[in-house]
Amino acid sequence: MAVALETAPVPVGRTAASTRLLLGAAIASAPLWTVVSLAQAATREGFDLTMHPLSMLSNGSLGWLQIANFTLAGALAVAGAFGLRRVLRGTPGGSWIPGLILVHGAGMIAAGAFVMDPAAGFPSGTPLDTPAALSGHALGHMAAGTVSFSALIAACYVLGHHFSRNGRRGTAAASRVAGTALLLGNGWAMTGGQGGSLTLAVGAVTAMLWISLVAARCLRTV
């Protein structure tokens, strides 16, 4: 699917080069987070994506990998937001989209700083039941994740408005589908529904990769 955007002119020279660098950060954020997370999910002993959210990978002896993953991917998203601001300024949703991506990235960094509690048998040796009370850092992770996901969902919907105004109905629909995938996946996980961690992962990856795809299209206009 072609992703066509209405973009603002970007000055040539050093400004254009820095804009391309910032957009490259936005492009890299989602694939980095996805690949590192799923690689760990497939190889970490005791981890089951149908039971354990990807955030739980921040626990255990290799937990630093997921903490670094959240922090780096979030920082790339924050940098990418400034690139998107340059190319989308003055267009429909051009102020809201980069602002929401900035909040999303900052939320990811915070989610890396606050680690979920071990639970449901992960890491290996952890009791199978859920802790009766959440720790302060687990509550912080949930708050950061809520802010980050809410901003990402909103960004997908605002992009849907942007594409609709440009007459790109199919692309607008795809953007709204990406946001809805995360909205429903996160909602199901929050209710404790069976396989909720899997639906959350699918929704998060879908929405994040959509933003990367949009950033890649923006890069072609610089």
Side-chain angles (χ1 to χ4, degrees):
M1 177 183 295
V3 181
L5 295 103
E6 178 185 343
T7 58
V10 177
V12 297
R14 295 178 63 183
T15 301
S18 63
T19 299
R20 287 193 289 269
L21 185 62
L22 292 170
L23 290 173
I27 295 168
S29 176
L32 168 71
W33 189 85
T34 300
V35 170
V36 173
S37 295
L38 295 182
Q40 292 184 83
T43 57
R44 294 278 300 272
E45 183 181 358
F47 188 86
D48 182 349
L49 189 52
T50 65
M51 296 173 55
H52 306 125
L54 292 171
S55 294
M56 199 171 284
L57 290 164
S58 295
N59 288 288
S61 61
L62 294 177
W64 64 270
L65 284 171
Q66 190 67 345
I67 293 172
N69 190 28
F70 268 104
T71 303
L72 181 54
L76 289 171
V78 168
F82 290 98
L84 289 169
R85 178 173 294 171
R86 291 183 183 181
V87 298
L88 295 178
R89 69 183 185 277
T91 68
S95 296
W96 279 99
I97 295 164
L100 290 166
I101 297 303
L102 179 65
V103 173
H104 160 63
M108 289 190 70
I109 295 172
F114 296 99
V115 178
M116 289 187 70
D117 293 328
F122 185 82
S124 294
T126 301
L128 294 176
D129 58 345
T130 302
L134 295 176
S135 66
H137 54 81
L139 291 172
H141 181 89
M142 290 182 64
T146 297
V147 170
S148 181
F149 286 154
S150 296
L152 182 56
I153 292 166
C156 289
Y157 284 127
V158 177
L159 275 167
H161 168 72
H162 176 95
F163 291 124
S164 291
R165 289 287 298 272
N166 291 340
R168 301 284 178 172
R169 295 182 179 179
T171 309
S175 189
R176 292 176 180 128
V177 166
T180 302
L182 178 52
L183 177 65
L184 295 179
N186 186 48
W188 182 248
M190 293 297 289
T191 66
Q194 186 174 6
S197 58
L198 178 59
T199 64
L200 173 57
V202 170
V205 168
T206 300
M208 290 173 67
L209 288 177
W210 178 251
I211 299 300
S212 288
L213 179 60
V214 169
R217 181 59 185 86
C218 286
L219 183 62
R220 292 175 59 188
T221 69
V222 179

